[in-house]
Amino acid sequence: MGRNWAGNIEFSSDRVVAPATVEELQDLVHRERKVKAQGTRHSFSSVADSDGVIVSMERFQSMEMLPGGRVRVGAGVTYGQLALFLHEKGWALHNLASLPHISVIGACATATHGSGVANGNLATSVESVTFVDGLGRIQTYVRSEVDEALDGAVVALGALGVVTGSVLQCEPTYEVAQNVYIDLPLNECLENFEEVGASAYSVSLFTTWARPVIDQVWVKRRLDREHADLLAELGAEPARRKLHPLAEMDPVNCTEQMGVRGPWHERLPHFKMEFTPSAGEELQSEFFLPPIQACRAIEALQGFANEITPALFVSEIRFVAEDGLWMSPAFAKGVVGIHFTWRKDWERVRRVLTKIEQTIERLGGVPHWGKLTTMAPQEYIGEYPMRRAFKQMVDGHDPEHKFRNAYLDSLFNAID
Ligand SMILES: Cc1cc2nc3c(=O)[nH]c(=O)nc-3n(C[C@H](O)[C@H](O)[C@H](O)COP(=O)(O)OP(=O)(O)OC[C@H]3O[C@@H](n4cnc5c(N)ncnc54)[C@H](O)[C@@H]3O)c2cc1C
């Protein structure tokens, strides 16, 4: 059986089909009882699992510029490929995740995000999405002022059907300079939390919780915007050499730092396309809360740092701007993602995770769709005001539940 990128999920089926055309995909959906699309298999949760046919869209590799600075992408395209294509033509995306290796469609399906108080998650650039639904129909939702259905169809966890492609809004290419600061005192960070988040185009706070400091602040400044140098004022020191977020690892995998200017796609991700991102042998969890609650959560988690730190490589705290996507954690409110890159020891992680999640649940937080949690959907689904509309949309497109897996069954069972 195949496994996901981290190797923690063994998929429940080894039947993988890679259709070459939309017609082949439609036939497959008509024929099979259970079908599930996968992207680049980077999710840590079982969101992409299937006990039926796994659909790989790797043969849908098209990229085409459209009028108005928009790009049409096939479902097999990764952000790394798309970034090179766009940059050559003088275009850019507004945001990227920490790694470029993931598929555009798979990343948007789970509300994958980068950082920035004014920067929405990656799915916010989607202008249209085309998919084959459970009745084998080709369906397209387009951004429109009179119909908000696209907002339900982008962060859809693969539940609506198999996406064949999307159109994304781009912007003219821009340059970014990345600097890392070390040892930002935690009290200064929390007292000035939103200002810290707003101090650059993208700000990521890395901590191991071992000391009352943010060990590293990764600051990505757009060269076409003004940014104040708040971090030095708050007591952080500029790093004197290039750093990896995991202190023990070689920074060769990381995008350039030390203020060296470069194109957007070579600075917004933390990790370079041609290297393994992050630690490699790891698990990940992440929880989203509005900024004030996130500060409370960070204070509370500091209280049992002695249990978190030994199970952890590093935590990353990022900012995500409010959006209108129904199943996005940032729907109708800006949020902060508190992320954990864990050592690969699930039993140990599970014990500390349940403790973290008590705090998260008390403060109204929700887990990342693509990362590990022990929270049951009943414990957080109430935080999604559009959940019933989403379920209704899914039922309309997938009346026979062809795209359901155990993960989605438990999610939809929790929506009344
Ligand atoms: C090292 C590492 C770093 C990461 N960094 C970040 C980060 O910075 N920010 C962040 O938010 N997340 C991050 N993640 C999580 C990752 O971005 C998400 O899990 C993302 O969904 C993975 O995309 P994928 O293409 O691998 O999708 P998969 O994991 O393969 O699938 C995810 C979902 O998308 C659906 N899907 C995929 N393709 C289709 C299709 N064609 N049609 C319909 N549904 C489809 C699947 O059914 C599934 O529900 C990271 C993961 C790793 C391993």
Side-chain angles (χ1 to χ4, degrees):
M1 300 280 186
R3 287 181 176 270
N4 63 341
W5 176 85
N8 65 306
I9 304 274
E10 184 177 57
F11 296 119
S12 313
S13 167
D14 56 6
R15 291 183 63 206
V16 181
V17 177
T21 62
V22 175
E23 294 70 31
E24 277 182 39
L25 175 60
Q26 288 176 292
D27 285 347
L28 186 75
V29 171
H30 276 305
R31 224 175 33 240
E32 296 291 337
R33 193 183 54 85
K34 290 275 181 196
V35 179
K36 188 83 183 135
Q38 289 184 343
T40 48
R41 303 177 162 198
H42 276 65
S43 294
F44 294 84
S45 69
S46 56
V47 66
D49 193 16
S50 174
D51 58 4
V53 173
I54 292 170
V55 180
S56 161
M57 295 298 283
E58 66 194 12
R59 294 163 85 173
F60 285 66
Q61 286 290 336
S62 60
M63 291 181 270
E64 180 195 355
M65 260 349 268
L66 303 174
R70 293 168 310 137
V71 63
R72 190 193 304 285
V73 287
V77 173
T78 64
Y79 273 103
Q81 293 170 303
L82 178 60
L84 290 179
F85 175 84
L86 289 178
H87 184 62
E88 268 175 17
K89 295 185 163 38
W91 293 98
L93 296 170
H94 74 294
N95 205 350
L96 288 171
S98 67
L99 76 177
H101 308 66
I102 48 180
S103 78
V104 172
I105 303 303
C108 291
T110 64
T112 292
H113 62 95
S115 191
V117 287
N119 227 352
N121 70 40
L122 274 45
T124 57
S125 68
V126 175
E127 289 288 302
S128 82
V129 59
T130 299
F131 56 97
V132 171
D133 77 2
L135 300 169
R137 302 175 300 190
I138 301 170
Q139 303 281 295
T140 298
Y141 285 112
V142 180
R143 179 150 308 292
S144 136
E145 282 176 11
V146 289
D147 180 5
E148 60 177 33
L150 178 71
D151 289 334
V154 183
V155 181
L157 311 169
L160 282 177
V162 179
V163 175
T164 56
S166 267
V167 173
L168 311 183
Q169 183 62 54
C170 308
E171 56 184 276
T173 193
Y174 53 89
E175 285 195 309
V176 175
Q178 175 164 250
N179 289 89
V180 175
Y181 290 78
I182 57 170
D183 292 345
L184 172 65
L186 188 61
N187 60 340
E188 293 286 0
C189 177
L190 295 182
E191 275 167 32
N192 301 279
F193 198 54
E194 294 196 58
E195 291 80 1
V196 168
S199 65
Y201 187 61
S202 163
V203 175
S204 290
L205 311 169
F206 287 97
T207 178
T208 61
W209 310 91
R211 300 179 298 146
V213 294
I214 299 296
D215 300 283
Q216 296 182 20
V217 186
W218 285 40
V219 172
K220 300 171 198 270
R221 296 187 175 95
R222 271 180 80 139
L223 298 186
D224 57 355
R225 308 239 171 124
E226 292 291 320
H227 302 291
D229 192 0
L230 177 67
L231 293 163
E233 274 175 42
L234 297 180
E237 276 182 48
R240 291 182 207 283
R241 61 181 177 86
K242 194 177 172 191
L243 295 175
H244 191 289
L246 277 55
E248 64 268 33
M249 286 195 70
D250 188 335
V252 68
N253 315 20
C254 300
T255 47
E256 292 316 316
Q257 304 166 13
M258 308 298 292
V260 180
R261 62 198 289 171
W264 60 283
H265 64 291
E266 292 181 4
R267 296 293 180 276
L268 291 181
H270 301 332
F271 302 106
K272 290 181 178 169
M273 183 69 182
E274 57 276 25
F275 287 94
T276 301
S278 200
E281 280 292 305
E282 68 192 53
L283 300 173
Q284 295 188 8
S285 305
E286 187 169 21
F287 302 95
F288 301 96
L289 306 111
I292 292 175
Q293 286 88 326
C295 288
R296 300 292 85 77
I298 292 165
E299 283 163 353
L301 298 191
Q302 205 66 39
F304 50 102
N306 58 338
E307 290 170 67
I308 298 175
T309 307
L312 189 75
F313 281 116
V314 74
S315 271
E316 182 178 8
I317 299 165
R318 284 179 285 182
F319 300 82
V320 188
E322 171 181 339
D323 62 48
L325 304 172
W326 297 354
M327 299 309 283
S328 159
F331 177 80
K333 56 179 188 301
V335 289
V336 171
I338 306 179
H339 162 96
F340 303 83
T341 300
W342 300 111
R343 294 178 189 274
K344 208 171 172 186
D345 177 353
W346 174 238
E347 268 320 301
R348 186 181 201 180
V349 168
R350 197 179 53 74
R351 279 196 299 277
V352 61
L353 202 50
T354 49
K355 222 164 156 181
I356 291 171
E357 288 167 345
Q358 285 165 11
T359 301
I360 299 296
E361 191 187 349
R362 179 168 54 78
L363 292 166
V366 301
H368 191 302
W369 296 116
K371 300 187 185 180
L372 293 171
T373 181
T374 73
M375 288 172 84
Q378 288 83 339
E379 293 169 302
Y380 59 82
I381 197 68
E383 299 296 328
Y384 287 92
M386 297 302 284
R387 61 192 178 280
R388 293 190 191 91
F390 178 61
K391 187 178 184 184
Q392 212 174 6
M393 181 184 244
V394 169
D395 283 344
H397 284 292
D398 185 22
E400 296 166 28
H401 295 181
K402 287 196 180 217
F403 305 115
R404 294 282 181 96
N405 54 15
Y407 179 107
L408 291 176
D409 281 340
S410 104
L411 180 71
F412 285 113
N413 288 341
I415 302 177
D416 46 30

